Amino acid sequence: MSLTRKPLTDTDYRNLAEFRYLLRQFLAFSEDAARRAGLSPQQHQALLAIKGSGGRLTVGELAVRLAIKPNSAVGLADRLVESELVLRQTGSKDRRKVELTLTAIASRKLADLSQSHRTELRRLTPMLAPLLKNWGKD
C-alpha cells in the first residue's frame, strides 16, 4: 500500500510559519518572565515540570521532561537545591530513588510565573486556535 501525501499549499506554509512565530513569541515571553523572577529559563521549566508531575520528580524523570542529558539534569538539580528552590527527598514509593520537590519559595515564584503565562496564553489563543483547528485538514 502506497501512502500518498497531499502537497502543501502556500496557505499551509503561511499557517506553519505563523504558528512557529507565535510559539517563538511565547517562548521569548517565558524566558524574559523567568529572568525577571530571578530564575533561568531552564530553572523555571524544571520547577514547572516538578509541579506538573504531581509535585515529585526524580532527576531521571526531570531529564526526560526537559529533554536534557541525565548529567545535565543532575547539575540543574544541584543548582536548584543550592538556590533553596528544590529539596531532595527519599522516594515515597521506592526508598532507593531520590525525588525532587519544590520549596515554599519555589512554589510562590512558580505560581506568580504561571499566572503571567496563563495571561499570555490567553492573549495568544485567538491567534493560535484557528491555526491549530485548520492544520492537517486535507
Side-chain angles (χ1 to χ4, degrees), residues 46-77:
L47 299 182
L48 183 58
I50 294 166
K51 182 72 173 182
S53 296
R56 294 182 169 276
L57 210 56
T58 66
V59 174
E61 292 165 337
L62 181 65
V64 170
R65 298 295 299 180
L66 298 187
I68 59 177
K69 293 181 180 169
N71 62 325
S72 297
V74 169
L76 176 59

Side-chain angles (χ1 to χ4, degrees), residues 5-21:
R5 297 188 304 178
K6 180 181 169 191
L8 295 173
T9 65
D10 287 345
T11 300
D12 291 329
Y13 285 109
R14 271 193 304 278
N15 288 343
L16 186 55
E18 184 65 13
F19 178 73
R20 299 227 14 159
Y21 168 69

